[in-house]
Amino acid sequence: MAELKENKQRVIEVTEKDLPLHCPTPDQVKWNSHPRVFLSVHKTGEALCPYCGTLYKLVGPVSGHHH
């Protein structure tokens, strides 16, 4: 099992495997999190979380076969 991370990072790179994207991500600890919010990152290549201000940047190709 991967080690959980505190929600301190302000820019996070994500790939197609992270879609559909939500903040906080599954690898972040829950004690300092906010409610889960889904973010649309595939159209513009980035999305800003309205709760914590984390910027998510999409890297790599997206095939369009995610749900």
Side-chain angles (χ1 to χ4, degrees):
M1 179 180 219
E3 184 176 335
L4 296 177
K5 303 171 193 158
E6 288 190 38
N7 305 354
K8 293 181 184 177
Q9 194 172 354
R10 290 296 169 221
V11 177
I12 298 175
E13 291 185 344
V14 295
T15 64
E16 181 179 29
K17 72 173 185 62
D18 299 306
L19 301 179
L21 177 64
H22 57 80
C23 186
T25 58
D27 65 345
Q28 293 174 332
V29 294
K30 303 301 180 214
W31 68 267
N32 64 343
S33 295
H34 52 71
R36 180 183 293 179
V37 59
F38 284 86
L39 304 168
S40 178
V41 70
H42 62 280
K43 291 181 182 178
T44 64
E46 60 184 40
L48 188 65
C49 176
Y51 285 102
C52 66
T54 299
L55 178 63
Y56 291 89
K57 291 189 174 192
L58 184 61
V59 295
V62 177
S63 66
H65 297 289
H66 55 83
H67 292 79

